[in-house]
Amino acid sequence: MAISHVGLSLISMIFLAASLVMLWFVILSGLTNTSPLNKTYFLRANTAGITGARPITQWTYFFICGDGNRDCGSAHPALPIGYAWDSDPSNAPEELVGGYGGDTTSFTYWYLWRFGTVFYLITLFFMVIAFFSSFLACCGRLGSALSGLVAGTALLFNTVAVSLMTATFVKMRNAFIAEDRDAQIGAWAFGFAWGSWAALLISTILFCLGRRSKNDAPRTARRGWGFRRKNTHSRKSYDGRRVKEEYV
């Protein structure tokens, strides 16, 4: 059974709201000790013996924390991953250390995660606009088109953001493991990040589908059938009059 335009718009709004909530969980990770924020981190690694580092380090969006997202440092936008240790540290994976971020971070990781954090903020901006514009989607197809356009823009930036996040922290995990250090990806952060992306994708598709009314096709068919019936009746009437005139 076809779903009405308003029904599609409401379902789109639900998926968009879910995507927005999951994105907030990623960005606010490490802010408090409450669940799920205290379980949300991108990477957890054994950093014992690295100069200036905690025994266990967990990287979140704004913070570098200890075990359980406790003992967090100060919040920084576009946080360099090397702020987990001192400048020119010893015993740190060489791949991660370089001349950026006060001699704590290599060129690759400095720019990978810096652009990743920026794209997340741009995604958040467009998602908020898409959420408020989604109320217009319930009013008509033009509102659905506008919401779909804004949500599609957010999806584009979100795709880049989660891709950079995945590349950054998977490479970091591999670098720690290569140094015989335990390291693991944060299941909650990656789950929220990719879940937000999937929900945003579904919402964008539904907004685009909402541009079409469910009654468009049947209405066109009825108009076409009525037109044919009218023409047939006219031809019959005309032929009948012509026959009568010939007999007269």
Side-chain angles (χ1 to χ4, degrees):
M1 184 176 65
I3 303 177
S4 67
H5 168 79
V6 176
L8 274 176
S9 300
L10 290 176
I11 296 173
S12 303
M13 291 173 64
I14 292 172
F15 275 102
L16 182 57
S19 177
L20 196 53
V21 168
M22 287 187 282
L23 184 61
W24 275 115
F25 283 153
V26 172
I27 292 176
L28 297 179
S29 56
L31 187 64
T32 68
N33 257 340
T34 58
S35 183
L37 298 182
N38 60 349
K39 300 176 183 177
T40 305
Y41 53 84
F42 297 115
L43 180 70
R44 170 190 171 94
N46 175 11
T47 51
I50 299 177
T51 308
R54 302 168 178 82
I56 298 293
T57 301
Q58 295 181 175
W59 283 263
T60 69
Y61 188 85
F62 281 119
F63 302 94
I64 292 177
C65 303
D67 189 21
N69 277 0
R70 296 183 177 88
D71 186 27
C72 297
S74 57
H76 291 276
L79 181 68
I81 59 100
Y83 275 16
W85 42 70
D86 290 339
S87 300
D88 297 318
S90 58
N91 301 321
E94 293 183 4
E95 180 183 334
L96 306 181
V97 181
Y100 292 81
D103 295 327
T104 62
T105 309
S106 67
F107 171 88
T108 300
Y109 291 92
W110 170 266
Y111 283 106
L112 267 179
W113 187 226
R114 179 164 290 257
F115 279 105
T117 56
V118 170
F119 275 102
Y120 264 121
L121 293 179
I122 297 174
T123 299
L124 180 63
F125 172 76
F126 280 104
M127 283 180 66
V128 171
I129 294 178
F131 179 75
F132 286 107
S133 67
S134 65
F135 291 97
L136 298 175
C138 298
C139 302
R141 287 180 289 175
L142 182 59
S144 292
L146 177 62
S147 300
L149 177 63
V150 180
T153 304
L155 179 64
L156 174 63
F157 286 110
N158 198 12
T159 302
V160 178
V162 293
S163 299
L164 290 174
M165 174 205 72
T166 302
T168 300
F169 293 103
V170 168
K171 282 173 63 67
M172 282 183 65
R173 180 201 61 184
N174 295 341
F176 278 109
I177 291 176
E179 296 287 329
D180 293 326
R181 292 179 177 272
D182 292 332
Q184 60 185 20
I185 293 297
W188 287 76
F190 273 67
F192 284 139
W194 282 104
S196 175
W197 180 87
L200 181 58
L201 173 64
I202 294 172
S203 177
T204 303
I205 292 173
L206 292 178
F207 277 130
C208 294
L209 291 177
R211 294 176 56 189
R212 294 189 58 189
S213 171
K214 69 171 185 175
N215 294 322
D216 282 353
R219 190 179 299 120
T220 303
R222 286 196 297 269
R223 285 199 300 266
W225 175 247
F227 178 78
R228 289 194 296 270
R229 290 183 60 187
K230 182 177 180 180
N231 285 350
T232 304
H233 178 73
S234 300
R235 287 196 297 270
K236 287 181 179 180
S237 299
Y238 175 76
D239 292 342
R241 287 196 301 271
R242 186 176 61 181
V243 170
K244 290 181 179 179
E245 291 172 358
E246 288 178 355
Y247 275 97
V248 173

